[in-house]
Amino acid sequence: MKQYIITEKATILEALQQLNTLSGQQMVLLVTKENGVMTGTLTDGDVRRALLAGVSLTAEVKDAMHRDFKAIKTEEVDVKMMRSCRMKGIGILPHLNDDGTIKTIYDLTITKAVLPISAILMAGGKGERLRPLTLNTPKPLLEIGGKAIIDYNIEALASVGVTDITVTTRYLAEQIHEHFAKPVSGIQVKCVTETQPLGTIGAASLVSRNGEGNTLVMNSDLLTTISFEEMYMRHVEEHADVTIAAIPYVVSVPYAILTTETSQVKGIEEKPSYSYYANAGIYIFSNRLLDTLPNDSRTDATDLIEQAIDKGMKVVYYPINGTWIDVGSPNDFKQAQDLMRHHNDLIK
């Protein structure tokens, strides 16, 4: 963080030297008073304009800095504001304390958002449809493109500022615990183990939560480009208790379908297609709903969602616009490998 900070009284020449050390990083300095209070930003463009206006290299930075800067000034990160800054091409965004000093600096090319949620990745399944690949390796640790499937999801969560991540395990649990003995994408992932099968959501009862708020729960064997940021914003804007990520699913009927009334045919449609939304295995739950889970019996995610609907709680969906592969069969695994191979070829 220190490489981005310079005081008002430093010279413009010193600022240029410091900017030069940022080559390959965001080329911007955050200007502060000697007491640490932030007062502006400085880029090489600001320096160039100052020099053209007659300011000398030995002048102080405050004579060239940009005073109308963007910063997070609330205790919690404003997700909408951060997204707006990123969309405007702002690369460095400081988060200030109440006294104006710098608490944190976000590089928006790395940390796209800071979502105030926890995450639970369900990794207890046996992956029986992928045998023999999963006889000695838990499905989340199968590699695609040289990386474990689950690590793609950890990486995606880290990129939106989610740092409180827990993985629930059962089958070959020790391998997953060993995998996460070291940080992944800078995150020290926690692991908890089911002592009995608890269904597709029941293991979330084993994870401690901090009061109010929301938790993202997802299957760990998905390969997806879902925007967790947009899904979270939908959840908040809708004041939802549950948000379900959904994928479009089209059913094509290879026959002409009759529209009937009693014994009469009222119409006929040749080979129609019907569009639906299918459950993608990614959810955001309010913590107060997750707190109702029993920790000694099986509960599937669909059970919990139906209970929420029966109680009159608000359940909404978020359509995924992008890649979503449930790596559950050999064909899915091959498709995911081919997709990642194509992606890697494109970025070479």
Side-chain angles (χ1 to χ4, degrees), residues 230-292:
E230 290 182 3
M231 184 178 178
Y232 171 78
M233 289 174 65
R234 166 71 65 88
H235 183 80
V236 172
E237 288 167 359
E238 293 280 356
H239 302 285
D241 295 289
V242 184
T243 299
I244 307 169
I247 55 167
Y249 188 80
V250 178
V251 177
S252 298
V253 181
Y255 309 107
I257 297 299
L258 306 182
T259 302
T260 63
E261 185 177 308
T262 62
S263 62
Q264 294 186 50
V265 175
K266 294 294 186 178
I268 187 166
E269 187 176 1
E270 186 69 30
K271 298 180 180 178
S273 294
Y274 302 98
S275 296
Y276 302 94
Y277 278 112
N279 182 359
I282 306 170
Y283 318 90
I284 296 178
F285 291 101
S286 66
N287 286 345
R288 67 189 182 98
L289 179 58
L290 288 180
D291 286 343
T292 67

Side-chain angles (χ1 to χ4, degrees), residues 30 35 110 182 231 296:
L30 307 183
N35 62 4
I110 298 173
K182 295 181 180 179
M231 184 178 178
D296 58 356

Side-chain angles (χ1 to χ4, degrees), residues 3-4 6 12-29 42-44 47:
Q3 72 269 27
Y4 288 110
I6 193 167
I12 292 176
L13 178 60
E14 290 171 332
L16 283 173
Q17 292 169 335
Q18 189 167 334
L19 281 168
N20 191 55
T21 67
L22 296 176
S23 179
Q25 303 176 65
Q26 296 296 314
M27 301 286 285
V28 59
L29 297 176
L42 187 78
T43 66
D44 55 356
V47 172

Side-chain angles (χ1 to χ4, degrees), residues 318-330:
Y318 167 76
I320 295 176
N321 181 21
T323 300
W324 180 89
I325 301 175
D326 177 5
V327 187
S329 70

Side-chain angles (χ1 to χ4, degrees), residues 129-308:
R129 288 185 297 155
L130 271 171
R131 289 185 176 177
L133 293 174
T134 53
L135 284 173
N136 298 304
T137 303
K139 184 166 60 169
L141 295 189
L142 293 177
E143 291 193 355
I144 293 175
K147 186 188 301 182
I149 297 170
I150 194 171
D151 286 355
Y152 286 101
N153 296 315
I154 301 295
E155 184 178 273
L157 289 166
S159 75
V160 291
V162 179
T163 58
D164 183 12
I165 302 176
T166 303
V167 175
T168 66
T169 64
R170 180 167 169 78
Y171 177 68
L172 299 176
E174 65 283 352
Q175 290 189 34
I176 297 176
H177 287 241
E178 183 178 351
H179 178 78
F180 288 116
K182 295 181 180 179
V184 173
S185 296
I187 306 297
Q188 188 63 64
V189 176
K190 302 182 288 290
C191 295
V192 296
T193 303
E194 299 174 73
T195 58
Q196 65 184 71
L198 293 175
T200 60
I201 192 71
S205 65
L206 307 177
V207 181
S208 60
R209 281 171 288 280
N210 296 322
E212 294 298 320
N214 301 286
T215 299
L216 184 141
V217 182
M218 68 180 291
N219 298 338
S220 63
D221 53 3
L222 301 175
L223 197 64
T224 178
T225 57
I226 185 174
S227 171
F228 293 120
E229 177 188 38
E230 290 182 3
M231 184 178 178
Y232 171 78
M233 289 174 65
R234 166 71 65 88
H235 183 80
V236 172
E237 288 167 359
E238 293 280 356
H239 302 285
D241 295 289
V242 184
T243 299
I244 307 169
I247 55 167
Y249 188 80
V250 178
V251 177
S252 298
V253 181
Y255 309 107
I257 297 299
L258 306 182
T259 302
T260 63
E261 185 177 308
T262 62
S263 62
Q264 294 186 50
V265 175
K266 294 294 186 178
I268 187 166
E269 187 176 1
E270 186 69 30
K271 298 180 180 178
S273 294
Y274 302 98
S275 296
Y276 302 94
Y277 278 112
N279 182 359
I282 306 170
Y283 318 90
I284 296 178
F285 291 101
S286 66
N287 286 345
R288 67 189 182 98
L289 179 58
L290 288 180
D291 286 343
T292 67
L293 284 169
N295 60 12
D296 58 356
S297 60
R298 180 187 179 95
T299 307
D300 288 333
T302 50
D303 299 329
L304 186 61
I305 292 168
E306 287 176 354
Q307 290 171 22

